[in-house]
C-alpha cells in the first residue's frame, strides 16, 4: 500500500560558518539535495546570536548578486539594507525582505544603528531563490514586506498558526510576487500541535526547523536547525510538535534548467558567469557613494 504522506528523503544538519564581519551562520544547503529543492538554492540561518552594544554596525558589507533572489525572514533584531538600485530600509521581527538581484546590483546588510547601540539578540533566515532563464536579466527590484501585511491562518487544531509569505495556502495568499510558482510559509506551533500540511504533489518541498522539535509522518524526528527534504509521492506531510516550534516551509515548482554558479552569481552557463564577473569588475552593477 502506498504511503499517504510524502516520502522523507533526508534530514540534513547545517554547517557552521562565519559570513561578513558579524554573522554566525548555520547552512544546511547548498548540499547533495539541491536539485530536489529547486528553485531554492541556499539557506543561511543567522543566529540566534548576541549582539553586544556598539557604535559600529557590523554585518555583511557591499557585495554583488546576479541571476537570483535573496529572501530574508526576520525573527529577532533589526537589519538595515541598502543597494545600488536605490532601495533602502530596515527589517525587524516578523518582516520579510524579498530582493530580486536580476541583472545585477550590490547590496549591504548591517545591524541597524539603534539596534547596534542597544545590542540584543539577532536571528534571521536568508534564502537564495533561483530565477528562470528568461527572467535572470530583469532590472533589480525590492519587495519590503512588513509583518502587518502577511496574512495568517490557524492550524486545524487551533494550536498553531501559519503565516503565508508567498503563494496561496488554504485560500490565503501571500504578499510576495515570485517569478516561478512558490509557496513559502512561516509555521508557528505550540507543543501538542498535530496537523497535516498539504502542498501540490509536483512541488519540491523542504521543511527547515528554525527552532523546536517535531515528528513527521508519525515516525521521523527533526529538530532545531535541521532541513527535511521531502519527495513527490503525495501532497501531504503530517507534523506533530513536541515543543514550541517554528518551521519555514519552502515549496515550489522546480526550474528544470541548467545551473551554473560562481560565488554570488547564479546563471545557466559558464559563459554567462564570466560575463557577470566582467560586468561586476567593470562597475556595471553600480557602486555606493560612500
Amino acid at each position: 500500500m502506498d504511503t499517504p504522506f510524502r516520502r522523507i528523503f533526508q534530514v540534513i544538519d547545517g554547517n557552521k560558518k562565519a559570513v561578513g564581519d558579524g554573522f554566525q551562520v548555520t547552512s544546511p544547503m547548498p548540499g547533495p539535495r539541491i536539485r530536489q529543492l529547486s528553485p531554492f538554492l541556499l539557506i543561511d540561518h543567522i543566529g540566534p546570536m548576541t549582539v553586544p552594544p556598539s557604535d559600529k554596525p557590523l554585518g555583511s558589507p557591499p557585495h554583488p548578486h546576479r541571476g537570483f533572489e535573496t529572501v530574508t525572514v526576520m525573527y529577532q533584531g533589526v537589519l538595515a539594507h541598502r543597494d545600488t538600485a536605490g532601495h533602502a530600509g530596515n527589517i525587524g521581527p516578523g518582516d520579510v525582505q524579498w530582493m530580486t538581484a536580476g541583472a545585477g546590483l550590490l547590496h549591504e546588510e548591517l545591524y541597524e544603528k539603534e539596534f547596534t547601540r542597544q545590542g540584543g539578540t539577532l536571528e534571521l533566515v536568508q534564502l537564495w531563490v533561483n530565477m528562470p532563464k528568461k527572467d535572470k536579466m530583469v532590472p533589480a527590484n525590492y519587495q519590503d514586506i512588513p509583518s502587518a501585511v502577511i496574512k495568517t491562518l490557524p492550524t486545524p487544531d487551533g494550536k498553531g498558526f501559519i503565516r503565508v509569505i508567498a503563494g496561496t495556502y488554504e485560500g490565503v495568499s501571500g504578499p510576495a510576487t515570485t517569478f516561478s510558482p512558490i509557496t513559502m510559509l512561516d509555521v508557528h506551533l505550540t507543543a501538542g500541535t498535530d496537523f497535516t500540511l498539504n502542498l501540490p504533489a509536483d512541488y519540491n518541498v523542504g521543511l527547515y526547523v528554525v527552532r523546536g522539535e517535531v515528528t513527521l509522518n508519525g515516525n521521523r524526528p527533526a529538530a532545531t536547525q535541521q532541513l527535511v527534504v521531502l519527495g513527490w509521492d503525495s501532497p501531504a506531510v503530517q507534523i506533530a510538535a513536541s515543543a514550541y516550534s517554528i518551521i519555514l516551509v519552502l515549496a515550489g515548482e522546480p526550474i528544470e534548467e541548467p545551473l551554473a554558479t560562481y560565488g554570488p552569481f547564479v546563471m545557466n552557463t559558464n559563459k554567462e558567469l564570466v560575463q557577470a564577473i566582467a560586468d561586476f569588475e567593470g562597475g556595471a552593477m553600480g557602486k555606493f557613494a560612500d
Side-chain angles (χ1 to χ4, degrees), residues 36-203:
Q36 282 77 28
L37 281 177
S38 171
F40 302 97
L41 301 169
L42 174 145
I43 301 172
D44 275 353
H45 184 176
I46 297 172
M49 54 181 283
T50 299
V51 176
S54 173
D55 59 359
K56 180 184 178 182
L58 299 177
S60 186
H63 57 282
H65 290 305
R66 171 178 281 181
F68 66 102
E69 301 184 286
T70 66
V71 180
T72 303
V73 183
M74 291 294 299
Y75 290 101
Q76 300 183 79
V78 186
L79 278 187
H81 162 92
R82 64 172 181 158
D83 61 48
T84 52
H87 311 113
N90 298 331
I91 50 174
D95 298 341
V96 175
Q97 169 193 286
W98 200 295
M99 188 189 78
T100 302
L105 80 175
L106 306 184
H107 80 142
E108 173 187 81
E109 299 159 297
L110 302 178
Y111 308 156
E112 185 269 337
K113 289 182 179 180
E114 184 60 22
F115 175 71
T116 299
R117 188 183 69 80
Q118 294 185 358
T121 301
L122 181 73
E123 184 177 19
L124 61 114
V125 174
Q126 186 169 97
L127 313 165
W128 286 14
V129 180
N130 197 14
M131 299 171 68
K133 178 180 178 63
K134 65 181 180 62
D135 298 314
K136 282 188 177 292
M137 295 297 286
V138 301
N141 191 31
Y142 180 87
Q143 298 178 68
D144 181 15
I145 306 174
S147 179
V149 305
I150 300 175
K151 296 179 180 178
T152 67
L153 68 156
T155 56
D157 60 9
K159 295 181 179 179
F161 64 90
I162 300 169
R163 304 171 73 228
V164 184
I165 296 170
T168 299
Y169 186 77
E170 300 293 345
V172 175
S173 296
T177 299
T178 66
F179 286 91
S180 62
I182 288 173
T183 299
M184 185 181 298
L185 310 174
D186 183 31
V187 180
H188 295 243
L189 307 174
T190 59
T193 306
D194 189 340
F195 77 109
T196 297
L197 185 73
N198 288 288
L199 296 159
D202 59 347
Y203 275 22

